[in-house]
């Protein structure tokens, strides 16, 4: 496997060869990746740069796939459905391009629409949509908010504790990508949903506490639970761009949602699913918690071929 990287990898993997070639250098990438059958576009710009970068980067990934004659695969999310999304999200659920969606949701929907439009140019593409990622190190809601203060015995949840929220353990999602790539998809654009795990906030916090105890990371004085101060974040967004972008996505934590994975299972069969107790324990270890933590995962979070 080849991985186009944005910065030097901090660790190696016996099956991954990093390519230190700019994504914009399609010619050089196409030469280096000659013969690749699949391009996985896993680039996610910082929230503050989505308007400038999301679509241009996606187009570069599609350009590369077309040059190679490869299938273009995209990890999708639930932003496309907007603030009024239903509780059960299936492939045929209508996406929202209007004012009822956020800027980021409209951009994601535009990206997927362009993938479908390029089918007439011969692009074969597939979106595998999932909930919030966890288990891949730093950079998500789980590590930046929920478990950020775990060392001090505190967990913080961004929304009401009785609302269902979709999650995706990245190693399980990666196996789904491999299974779909091996099975193949028909010409044109294919849309699939990865069910992952759906938990209320109360369930996630309880299981996180149990996982922390299992790896020796539970606080001696017991747990504290906190809430994210959304009014402060919204007000602070007037001067802190990232806070403004986070506040726009608050609805994800008050709107119950789950992904229907029926079509994906029909295509590739039942895939192994890591029990939540194990996936959360592994995620905490990667973040540096526990008596036998694992740190220093490779930074290969870019376009892979």
């Amino acid at each position: 496997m080849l991985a186009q990287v944005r910065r030097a990898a901090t660790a190696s993997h016996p099956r991954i060869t990093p390519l230190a070639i700019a994504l914009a250098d399609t010619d050089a990438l196409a030469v280096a990746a000659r013969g690749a059958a699949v391009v996985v576009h896993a680039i996610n710009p910082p929230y503050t740069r989505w308007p400038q970068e999301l679509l241009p980067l996606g187009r570069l990934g599609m350009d590369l796939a077309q040059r190679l004659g490869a299938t273009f695969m995209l990890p999708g999310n639930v932003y496309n459905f907007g603030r009024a999304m239903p509780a059960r999200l299936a492939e045929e659920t209508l996406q929202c391009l209007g004012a009822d969606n956020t800027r980021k949701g409209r951009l994601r929907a535009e990206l997927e629409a362009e993938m479908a439009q390029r089918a007439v140019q011969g692009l074969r593409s597939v979106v595998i949509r999932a909930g919030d990622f966890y288990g891949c190190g730093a950079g998500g809601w789980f590590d930046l908010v929920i478990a950020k203060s775990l060392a001090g015995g505190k967990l913080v949840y961004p929304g009401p504790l009785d609302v269902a929220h979709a999650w995706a353990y990245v190693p399980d999602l990666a196996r789904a990508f491999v299974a779909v790539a091996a099975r193949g998809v028909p010409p044109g654009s294919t849309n699939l949903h990865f069910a992952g795990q759906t938990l209320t906030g109360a369930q996630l916090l309880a299981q996180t506490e149990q996982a922390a105890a299992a790896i020796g990371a539970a606080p001696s004085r017991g747990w504290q639970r906190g809430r994210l101060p959304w009014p402060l974040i919204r007000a602070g967004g007037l001067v802190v761009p990232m806070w403004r972008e986070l506040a726009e996505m608050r609805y994800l934590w008050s709107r119950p949602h789950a992904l229907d994975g029926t079509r994906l299972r029909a295509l590739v069969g039942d895939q192994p699913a890591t029990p939540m107790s194990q996936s959360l324990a592994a995620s905490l270890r990667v973040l540096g918690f526990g008596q036998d933590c694992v740190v220093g995962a490779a930074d290969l979070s870019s376009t892979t071929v």
Side-chain angles (χ1 to χ4, degrees):
M1 179 184 291
L2 305 175
Q4 184 269 341
V5 294
R6 287 166 285 174
R7 51 186 178 270
T10 57
S12 61
H13 189 284
R15 297 178 60 187
I16 297 176
T17 301
L19 295 178
I21 302 172
L23 185 58
D25 194 348
T26 306
D27 291 339
L29 277 175
V31 170
R34 184 181 291 115
V38 174
V39 171
V40 179
H41 185 78
I43 293 178
N44 189 32
Y47 264 3
T48 54
R49 300 208 298 267
W50 272 41
Q52 297 80 25
E53 297 185 12
L54 186 77
L55 291 176
L57 288 172
R59 288 166 183 150
L60 289 172
M62 286 185 271
D63 291 344
L64 176 61
Q66 288 183 278
R67 284 283 298 274
L68 294 169
T71 298
F72 181 76
M73 301 186 75
L74 178 75
N77 61 28
V78 303
Y79 296 6
N80 307 52
F81 303 111
R83 297 182 180 92
M85 63 179 172
R88 193 74 176 174
L89 301 171
E91 287 83 356
E92 60 270 17
T93 302
L94 292 179
Q95 299 190 16
C96 179
L97 284 166
D100 286 340
N101 205 343
T102 63
R103 291 171 298 167
K104 287 182 281 296
R106 291 193 296 270
L107 286 168
R108 293 292 301 205
E110 288 176 27
L111 176 60
E112 293 183 24
E114 183 160 335
M115 291 167 58
Q117 291 164 7
R118 288 206 189 194
V120 299
Q121 303 171 8
L123 178 67
R124 186 190 304 257
S125 65
V126 57
V127 176
I128 303 183
R129 195 177 318 284
D132 264 315
F133 296 168
Y134 74 101
C136 54
W141 283 94
F142 182 75
D143 66 280
L144 294 178
V145 176
I146 295 171
K148 180 180 179 180
S149 301
L150 186 143
K154 185 176 182 179
L155 298 176
V156 175
Y157 196 72
L161 295 180
D162 60 348
V163 173
H165 188 87
W167 293 92
Y169 182 49
V170 170
D172 287 348
L173 179 60
R175 282 189 283 270
F177 268 78
V178 171
V180 171
R183 173 65 173 78
V185 293
S189 183
T190 300
N191 181 18
L192 299 169
H193 284 190
F194 176 78
Q197 300 120 337
T198 302
L199 301 93
T200 66
Q203 291 170 330
L204 179 69
L205 293 185
Q207 295 212 34
T208 301
E209 291 173 357
Q210 294 170 11
I215 63 172
S220 58
R221 297 183 179 180
W223 292 100
Q224 292 180 299
R225 292 184 178 182
R227 301 284 295 275
L228 202 60
W230 285 111
L232 176 61
I233 291 173
R234 185 174 297 277
L238 296 174
V239 293
V240 182
M242 180 57 81
W243 288 19
R244 179 190 65 238
E245 300 301 323
L246 291 175
E248 184 184 45
M249 309 310 295
R250 179 180 181 178
Y251 78 93
L252 291 170
W253 302 97
S254 58
R255 193 81 184 179
H257 59 279
L259 289 134
D260 185 339
T262 303
R263 190 175 297 178
L264 178 59
R265 288 194 299 273
L267 179 67
V268 298
D270 290 325
Q271 298 296 302
T274 306
M276 200 74 181
S277 58
Q278 296 178 23
S279 63
L280 285 172
S283 301
L284 293 175
R285 288 192 183 100
V286 169
L287 294 173
F289 298 110
Q291 298 172 348
D292 54 348
C293 66
V294 178
V295 296
D299 176 26
L300 296 172
S301 54
S302 195
T303 294
T304 56
V305 292

